[in-house]
Amino acid sequence: NAGVTQTPKFQVLKTGQSMTLQCAQDMNHEYMSWYRQDPGMGLRLIHYSVGAGITDQGEVPNGYNVSRSTTEDFPLRLLSAAPSQTSVYFCASSFSRTGELFFGEGSRLTVL
Amino acid sequence: GENVEQHPSTLSVQEGDSAVIKCTYSDSASNYFPWYKQELGKRPQLIIDIRSNVGEKKDQRIAVTLNKTAKHFSLHITETQPEDSAVYFCAASIGGATNKLIFGTGTLLAVQP
């Protein structure tokens, strides 16, 4: 099993550009989520999904969209990137609603 | 909104000493409290967790305690080793029966050889 796979690992955008961070898991996990990690602020939940077709907002959802058309994939879309979205993004999944979260390797995004 | 406070933000200990990291949470419905370790440039990984029906849990050199009344939980690492050096995050579930987590701001632990 590859676990949780995120692409790209690094990305530089200009303000106003759009992009999608990809996340895929091969563990048949129902629950998937996106976090951003900023210095001194820990990990903050952006969006999460409890199953295909179901998504909900976390602590910091503004500026981000998600969809969950399959169990395996949970892409995160930035429609119009802003410098405040410069961060490291982690996708995570778990088998159950109270199970261990497995994180991807992270995607470092810089918005100029 | 719900939040988790974590202290200290940095902790330096000598190899072989114990390290303690403390967290407090605000959501009375929180019932799941994991601890994650993140080495530099790597992903966070679960090291131990505790649920609200248990007061203490131990796994070799690592232990976690939970005081639901005070909304406190702590991570204890005994006989620290240089490979324990990392950032440690506590987290609390939002509401009951969920892995929607609120994380603390992290503790940078440095174990001096």
Side-chain angles (χ1 to χ4, degrees):
Chain A
N1 286 351
V4 180
T5 303
Q6 290 183 233
T7 56
K9 289 187 169 47
F10 301 95
Q11 183 72 48
V12 179
L13 290 178
K14 294 181 180 178
T15 297
Q17 287 185 317
S18 62
M19 77 157 300
T20 299
L21 297 176
Q22 301 291 344
C23 176
Q25 53 86 13
D26 62 358
M27 298 176 282
N28 200 30
H29 285 177
E30 287 296 321
Y31 182 91
M32 296 186 74
S33 54
W34 277 101
Y35 286 84
R36 60 176 289 173
Q37 183 173 34
D38 303 293
M41 302 189 74
L43 293 143
R44 292 182 292 168
L45 181 63
I46 304 171
H47 286 286
Y48 67 100
S49 169
V50 298
I54 306 169
T55 63
D56 205 349
Q57 297 181 349
E59 299 171 78
V60 288
N62 292 341
Y64 307 95
N65 280 352
V66 292
S67 60
R68 183 93 182 271
S69 55
T70 66
T71 300
E72 293 77 20
D73 300 298
F74 190 45
L76 179 71
R77 296 184 187 86
L78 286 72
L79 298 179
S80 179
S84 60
Q85 294 178 303
T86 293
S87 188
V88 179
Y89 292 84
F90 286 97
C91 179
S93 71
S94 71
F95 179 71
S96 69
R97 296 179 72 197
T98 57
E100 174 183 354
L101 273 183
F102 291 88
F103 284 85
E105 292 186 325
S107 298
R108 182 174 294 275
L109 175 67
T110 301
V111 183
L112 303 175
Chain B
E2 296 87 357
N3 74 301
V4 174
E5 293 189 2
Q6 182 172 347
H7 300 281
S9 56
T10 59
L11 180 58
S12 182
V13 300
Q14 290 297 124
E15 183 177 358
D17 286 351
S18 296
V20 180
I21 302 170
K22 299 182 178 182
C23 291
T24 60
Y25 61 97
S26 60
D27 185 359
S28 300
S30 295
N31 63 358
Y32 176 63
F33 307 92
W35 287 87
Y36 283 82
K37 176 183 179 182
Q38 186 178 29
E39 296 175 354
L40 187 62
K42 300 287 183 64
R43 73 188 84 189
Q45 291 191 298
L46 180 73
I47 55 170
I48 195 167
D49 57 13
I50 192 168
R51 300 187 190 273
S52 58
N53 57 347
V54 175
E56 183 174 359
K57 185 176 178 180
K58 200 171 183 180
D59 182 3
Q60 299 182 340
R61 296 186 297 108
I62 295 172
V64 58
T65 59
L66 172 64
N67 182 331
K68 281 196 68 179
T69 302
K71 296 183 187 172
H72 289 172
F73 58 114
S74 300
L75 178 71
H76 305 253
I77 306 174
T78 59
E79 301 172 23
T80 53
Q81 300 166 4
E83 51 265 38
D84 294 329
S85 296
V87 179
Y88 291 80
F89 292 97
C90 63
S93 62
I94 303 173
T98 177
N99 51 8
K100 185 177 168 185
L101 298 174
I102 289 281
F103 281 82
T105 50
T107 296
L108 175 60
L109 174 63
V111 180
Q112 309 297 334

